[in-house]
Amino acid sequence: MAANVHDVIMLFGDSITQAGWAEDGFAARLAQVYARKLDVLNRGLSGYNTEWAIPVLEQMLATQQAQQHLPKVRLLVIWFGANDAVIKPFSQHVPLPKFIENMKYMVQLLHSPDSSHYSPTTKIILITPPPVNTYQRSADLASRNPPLEMDRLFETTKQYAEGVRDAAVASNVAVADVWTAMWNGAGENEQALSRYLSDGLHLTHEGYTASCSGPESVVRADRDKIAYETLIETIAAEYPELHYGNLRSVFPAWNEVDWANPGPSVQKRET
Amino acid sequence: MAANVHDVIMLFGDSITQAGWAEDGFAARLAQVYARKLDVLNRGLSGYNTEWAIPVLEQMLATQQAQQHLPKVRLLVIWFGANDAVIKPFSQHVPLPKFIENMKYMVQLLHSPDSSHYSPTTKIILITPPPVNTYQRSADLASRNPPLEMDRLFETTKQYAEGVRDAAVASNVAVADVWTAMWNGAGENEQALSRYLSDGLHLTHEGYTASCSGPESVVRADRDKIAYETLIETIAAEYPELHYGNLRSVFPAWNEVDWANPGPSVQKRET
């Protein structure tokens, strides 16, 4: 079994989080910079909204009784809204007030002393959903067989992004505002969001070759800069003690090892 | 704290493993295909040889008493030899017989009933170190300031790769023969190994933009095909029950959720 040697960063969200392992995705980049310091656990659930995610989060977080044996979650990143913002009558739709309530509930699950999952030392960052490019999205849905009706609106997703900011303020946790970073990066031009979005909704990775074919590589570089850099900048500003630059490796560098008697010199350290 | 929801694949090795998180590295690609099924824990230790790694592995694996609380290691991938094969008098050198003994010891740490870390259900794969391109390596060392002496020989690393194969046979575990895959892929021409090795030794990633500039993207594609595909093919052939295609998501797909009453329908399942 895996001994408890590294604390963790848990990424909890929908398909945009699940796809974060794809090459150069934000999860893979986090794992790279936090190597030997914190494990990155990707808990993305494609297609989930906050209603369905809450009973899963309750299983993903240890109860207080079990916490002593398990890795500490030093940072929980929560990234929802892309599916909650689906319009009625689609099944993923969650009304905005309920969405905001759910975001606050997830924070309270760790930060309320009354919670069976109380973990006051876990820092939390809420990420705003990316803006929707309805030009790309409607074309993508229309191209399906059979064609699908449009399921998202630019203004609606914008409101859910605002809801995430409101929930963060009300819950006294940090927010990484990817919605605004992308909107500004696109010059506040919806069609220009195509430099960040492959299908108007997702930041998905279409595979290595495609990603390295001319313009697409620019898309990748920009998109990843937005998602990853926005999160890292938020960590640096709000929780600098958790920035990878301020953590040390759990096990020492090879040139710190006592070559004559390695054992005592390679004991686990606090990161 | 992170509840115990996913079993794990643990990658234990040197810098070649640690760098596996880099974009399109083998660790990132494993994490991508095993998303929602098994967590991939990268336990790469840059610069380490097996002598220094053993006392770390003993800390990374849970004792039998603690195992009940911790994630099961379904697969342990051990990839050493690149540093053990350094020639005398360099500090990383481990004599070949001792290296083979160390590889066997790491397997016995999990598979011997006498071990305090006994975990008979953990499958193990040993990976052979990549061949050294001494043309690239010597040029790289000579370019340092001050210039460094040559530290590795093609024939020596070849012998350590054979040692890994011998240790795997003697220990009755699988081997992923990256050395042979690269050697064959290079047409048994040492200089042609440059398509797999950035500096004659490492499979490191030089960053996104560089990796997508013409020839380098070919290097990346080939190199990653070799390391990742060789491992996945070994899993499919030797431990098919652990191939990602034969595992299901721990939590159900979004369209399996009972929208009227989500909780009971999103309970953790065996993968």
Side-chain angles (χ1 to χ4, degrees):
Chain A
M1 311 303 149
N4 179 2
V5 292
H6 284 193
D7 294 343
V8 310
I9 295 174
M10 186 183 290
L11 307 177
F12 188 55
D14 51 35
S15 57
I16 298 171
T17 296
Q18 185 177 326
W21 275 143
E23 58 269 17
D24 214 27
F26 82 111
R29 297 184 71 173
L30 281 174
Q32 187 177 0
V33 297
Y34 280 97
R36 299 179 61 172
K37 295 175 178 180
L38 296 174
D39 285 332
V40 174
L41 300 183
N42 186 332
R43 294 289 182 253
L45 300 164
S46 180
Y48 275 57
N49 61 26
T50 52
E51 281 291 286
W52 311 336
I54 282 174
V56 176
L57 183 59
E58 290 170 335
Q59 299 173 70
M60 289 178 172
L61 298 172
T63 58
Q64 290 190 61
Q65 296 84 327
Q67 288 178 6
Q68 57 175 316
H69 306 290
L70 294 163
K72 283 184 188 168
V73 180
R74 299 286 297 276
L75 176 65
L76 174 65
V77 176
I78 304 175
W79 194 0
F80 282 99
N83 296 323
D84 296 69
V86 162
I87 58 180
K88 293 185 215 173
F90 296 100
S91 62
Q92 291 159 296
H93 172 75
V94 174
L96 181 56
K98 181 62 173 170
F99 170 69
I100 296 172
E101 181 188 316
N102 287 345
M103 295 298 289
K104 293 178 183 173
Y105 177 85
M106 290 193 264
V107 173
Q108 288 308 303
L109 197 58
L110 289 95
H111 284 180
S112 166
D114 304 331
S115 170
S116 59
H117 298 82
Y118 183 48
S119 179
T121 60
T122 299
K123 306 300 187 188
I124 299 177
I125 294 176
L126 308 186
I127 304 185
T128 55
V132 174
N133 181 335
T134 56
Y135 299 88
Q136 283 178 298
R137 179 63 179 173
S138 55
D140 177 63
L141 293 175
S143 71
R144 309 285 183 92
N145 184 10
L148 299 176
E149 286 178 44
M150 188 56 175
D151 59 356
R152 289 168 172 84
L153 302 173
F154 181 88
E155 276 303 320
T156 306
T157 296
K158 179 182 180 182
Q159 291 166 10
Y160 282 66
E162 290 166 355
V164 169
R165 289 192 290 271
D166 295 344
V169 170
S171 303
N172 193 30
V173 297
V175 63
D177 194 353
V178 165
W179 192 96
T180 299
M182 286 192 178
W183 186 234
N184 293 341
E188 302 189 357
N189 171 352
E190 184 179 340
Q191 294 194 53
L193 287 166
S194 58
R195 61 195 295 229
Y196 303 126
L197 305 170
S198 59
D199 60 0
L201 172 65
H202 291 105
L203 292 64
T204 51
H205 304 254
E206 296 307 325
Y208 182 76
T209 311
S211 71
C212 287
S213 58
E216 174 64 14
S217 64
V218 179
V219 176
R220 289 273 306 279
D222 289 343
R223 176 208 56 214
D224 293 315
K225 182 168 182 359
I226 294 283
Y228 170 78
E229 295 294 343
T230 303
L231 182 56
I232 283 292
E233 286 163 10
T234 304
I235 292 171
E238 303 292 336
Y239 309 125
E241 71 279 12
L242 293 180
H243 189 278
Y244 59 88
N246 297 328
L247 299 171
R248 67 174 179 177
S249 297
V250 169
F251 296 101
W254 74 275
N255 52 13
E256 297 174 62
V257 176
D258 175 357
W259 303 330
N261 183 24
S265 66
V266 296
Q267 294 304 299
K268 177 192 171 192
R269 317 178 295 195
E270 283 299 310
T271 187
Chain B
M1 312 301 148
N4 179 2
V5 292
H6 284 194
D7 294 342
V8 309
I9 296 174
M10 186 182 291
L11 307 177
F12 188 55
D14 51 35
S15 58
I16 298 171
T17 296
Q18 185 177 328
W21 276 143
E23 59 269 16
D24 213 26
F26 83 111
R29 296 186 71 175
L30 281 175
Q32 186 177 359
V33 296
Y34 280 96
R36 300 181 60 174
K37 297 175 177 180
L38 296 174
D39 286 332
V40 174
L41 300 183
N42 187 331
R43 294 289 181 257
L45 300 164
S46 179
Y48 275 57
N49 60 26
T50 53
E51 281 290 286
W52 310 337
I54 283 174
V56 176
L57 182 60
E58 291 170 335
Q59 299 174 71
M60 289 178 172
L61 298 172
T63 58
Q64 291 191 61
Q65 297 85 327
Q67 288 179 5
Q68 57 175 314
H69 306 291
L70 293 164
K72 283 184 188 168
V73 179
R74 299 286 296 276
L75 176 65
L76 174 64
V77 176
I78 304 175
W79 195 357
F80 282 98
N83 296 322
D84 297 70
V86 161
I87 58 179
K88 293 186 215 174
F90 297 98
S91 62
Q92 290 159 297
H93 171 76
V94 174
L96 181 57
K98 182 61 174 172
F99 169 69
I100 296 172
E101 182 188 318
N102 288 345
M103 295 298 289
K104 293 178 183 174
Y105 177 86
M106 289 193 264
V107 173
Q108 288 308 303
L109 197 59
L110 290 94
H111 284 180
S112 166
D114 304 333
S115 170
S116 59
H117 298 81
Y118 183 48
S119 179
T121 60
T122 300
K123 306 299 186 187
I124 299 177
I125 294 176
L126 308 186
I127 305 185
T128 55
V132 174
N133 181 334
T134 57
Y135 299 88
Q136 283 178 298
R137 178 64 178 173
S138 56
D140 176 64
L141 293 175
S143 70
R144 309 285 184 93
N145 184 12
L148 299 175
E149 286 178 43
M150 188 55 174
D151 59 357
R152 288 168 173 84
L153 302 173
F154 181 88
E155 275 303 320
T156 307
T157 296
K158 179 183 180 182
Q159 290 166 11
Y160 281 67
E162 291 165 355
V164 170
R165 289 191 290 269
D166 295 344
V169 171
S171 304
N172 193 31
V173 297
V175 63
D177 195 352
V178 166
W179 192 97
T180 299
M182 285 191 178
W183 185 235
N184 293 341
E188 302 189 358
N189 172 350
E190 184 179 341
Q191 294 194 53
L193 287 166
S194 58
R195 61 195 295 231
Y196 303 126
L197 305 169
S198 59
D199 60 0
L201 172 66
H202 291 104
L203 293 64
T204 51
H205 304 252
E206 297 307 324
Y208 183 76
T209 312
S211 70
C212 288
S213 59
E216 173 63 16
S217 63
V218 179
V219 175
R220 289 272 306 277
D222 290 342
R223 176 208 56 214
D224 291 316
K225 181 168 183 358
I226 294 284
Y228 170 78
E229 295 294 343
T230 303
L231 183 56
I232 283 291
E233 287 162 10
T234 304
I235 292 171
E238 304 292 335
Y239 309 124
E241 70 279 12
L242 293 180
H243 188 279
Y244 59 87
N246 298 328
L247 299 172
R248 67 174 178 177
S249 297
V250 170
F251 296 101
W254 74 275
N255 51 13
E256 299 173 64
V257 176
D258 175 358
W259 302 331
N261 182 24
S265 66
V266 295
Q267 294 305 299
K268 177 191 173 193
R269 317 177 295 194
E270 283 299 310
T271 188

